[in-house]
């Protein structure tokens, strides 16, 4: 196990990203992408257990210590994919593997399907394609998103009087996490403000998407993936009930006990996921 970690900052021109570097300098290049409203500490338990990999765990734009996008910009999947390519350029990596959880797994599939020649391996945790919808919903969804954008200016972020209350709130969030996971996310995600603490994440991350892909469009990215791919499905997570989708995937699958954040909720979950991915990467 390699527990050494280095804090890094990458200036991509259009945004500055922060992150962690794990593993030996000559290890297999891997870019790790966390889930929605999480940050690079999502991989703090898992990354040190992965052998022979040089892992760049990013704070995605708008999350953690990374910069927020300029006024008027948004957080579309393809914007994240572009950021990853720019980060790879900064690292000098022409070809690299992707390790993604939830939103990060979706971005990984989008990138691996768009530019299959750039991606060497795809390691996914409880995420694969974005939520989809039919064409009949397009206009209504766009209207809902535009209204939400207009209302955002009048909203203020929640301020938690104490660090403990902020951690408790994260534990009970839209997707519940363990205390250990909430504390890890709080280390990079919270900042002090008058009256207590608030989350660093850009408020625009909570806006609904103005457009959604059809299922056929989303699966077209899956179908163009050319590298070996493994999907870890959390038994109590968000994918397990989507059996029809899972049966369409040409990826190796492993169902493991635990919830959506199984790789960071505790050491035992991180160990189970690491065992899968160490076998997948085939590094002794």
């Amino acid at each position: 196990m390699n527990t050494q970690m280095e804090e890094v900052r990458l200036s991509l021109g259009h945004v500055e990203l922060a992150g962690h570097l794990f593993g030996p300098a000559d290890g297999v290049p891997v870019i790790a992408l966390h889930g929605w409203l999480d940050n690079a500490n999502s991989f703090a338990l898992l990354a040190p257990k992965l052998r022979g990999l040089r892992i760049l765990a990013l704070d995605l734009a708008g999350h953690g210590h990374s910069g927020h996008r300029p006024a008027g910009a948004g957080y579309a999947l393809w914007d994240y994919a572009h950021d990853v390519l720019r980060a790879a350029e900064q690292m000098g990596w022409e070809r690299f593997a992707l390790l993604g959880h939830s939103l990060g797994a979706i971005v990984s599939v989008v990138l691996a399907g768009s530019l299959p020649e750039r991606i060497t391996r795809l390691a996914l945790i409880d995420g694969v394609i974005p939520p989809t919808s039919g064409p009949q919903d397009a206009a209504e969804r766009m209207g809902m998103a535009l209204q939400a954008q207009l209302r955002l200016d009048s909203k203020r972020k929640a301020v938690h009087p104490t660090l403990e209350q902020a951690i408790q709130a994260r534990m009970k969030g839209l997707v519940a996490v363990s205390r250990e996971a909430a504390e890890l996310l709080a280390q990079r995600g919270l900042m002090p403000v008058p009256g207590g603490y608030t989350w660093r994440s850009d408020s625009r991350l909570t806006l609904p998407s103005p457009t959604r892909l059809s299922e056929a469009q989303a699966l077209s990215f899956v179908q163009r993936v050319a590298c070996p791919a493994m999907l870890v499905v959390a038994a109590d997570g968000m994918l397990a009930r989507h059996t029809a989708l899972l049966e369409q995937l040409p990826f190796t699958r492993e169902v493991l006990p635990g919830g959506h954040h199984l790789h960071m909720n505790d050491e035992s979950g991180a160990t189970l996921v690491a065992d899968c991915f160490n076998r997948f990467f085939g590094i002794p």
Side-chain angles (χ1 to χ4, degrees), residues 129-163:
I129 62 170
T132 60
S133 65
Q136 70 277 5
D137 303 321
E140 183 180 359
R141 170 160 290 279
M142 180 67 74
M144 178 179 65
L146 290 171
Q147 292 283 12
Q149 278 185 300
L150 291 174
R151 290 194 298 267
L152 189 65
D153 289 342
S154 62
K155 290 187 176 180
R156 294 292 175 266
K157 281 188 179 182
V159 175
H160 305 280
T162 67
L163 186 61

Side-chain angles (χ1 to χ4, degrees), residues 55-236:
I55 300 171
L56 171 62
L58 292 172
D59 288 334
L60 293 173
H63 298 75
H65 290 285
S66 285
H68 294 186
R69 300 210 190 279
Y75 290 91
L77 292 176
W78 39 90
D79 294 321
Y80 286 128
H82 176 240
D83 292 344
V84 173
L85 290 172
R86 291 290 191 191
E89 285 184 354
Q90 292 283 308
M91 298 297 294
W93 295 346
E94 176 62 25
R95 301 187 74 233
F96 52 93
L98 289 166
L99 165 60
H101 168 241
S102 196
L103 168 64
I106 294 168
V107 174
S108 297
V109 171
V110 166
L111 185 49
S114 300
L115 296 174
E117 69 278 6
R118 297 291 302 272
I119 309 305
T120 59
R121 284 186 180 261
L122 201 53
L124 310 173
I125 304 171
D126 220 42
V128 64
I129 62 170
T132 60
S133 65
Q136 70 277 5
D137 303 321
E140 183 180 359
R141 170 160 290 279
M142 180 67 74
M144 178 179 65
L146 290 171
Q147 292 283 12
Q149 278 185 300
L150 291 174
R151 290 194 298 267
L152 189 65
D153 289 342
S154 62
K155 290 187 176 180
R156 294 292 175 266
K157 281 188 179 182
V159 175
H160 305 280
T162 67
L163 186 61
E164 175 61 23
Q165 285 173 288
I167 290 170
Q168 289 287 338
R170 183 62 189 88
M171 289 171 65
K172 301 169 185 174
L174 187 62
V175 180
V177 298
S178 68
R179 181 176 186 87
E180 184 171 6
E183 288 176 347
L184 283 171
L185 294 173
Q187 288 172 17
R188 289 185 76 79
L190 283 177
M191 62 181 182
V193 293
Y197 296 86
T198 194
W199 292 91
R200 297 177 183 274
S201 51
D202 192 330
S203 297
R204 288 173 291 177
L205 293 169
T206 63
L207 290 172
S209 170
T211 59
R212 279 188 175 177
L213 301 177
S214 68
E215 184 171 312
Q217 287 174 318
L219 286 173
S220 73
F221 292 95
V222 170
Q223 291 154 3
R224 287 194 81 231
V225 171
C227 64
M230 167 170 268
L231 170 62
V232 166
V233 178
D236 300 316

Side-chain angles (χ1 to χ4, degrees), residues 3-10 16-23 39-42 44 54-60 63-67 91 184 187-189 200:
T3 58
Q4 288 188 328
M5 182 272 290
E6 175 188 350
E7 183 81 24
V8 294
R9 296 198 73 85
L10 303 174
E16 185 174 79
L17 298 187
H20 290 155
L21 266 174
F22 297 90
N39 55 57
N41 264 7
S42 173
R54 182 64 163 171
I55 300 171
L56 171 62
L58 292 172
D59 288 334
L60 293 173
H63 298 75
H65 290 285
S66 285
M91 298 297 294
L184 283 171
Q187 288 172 17
R188 289 185 76 79
R200 297 177 183 274

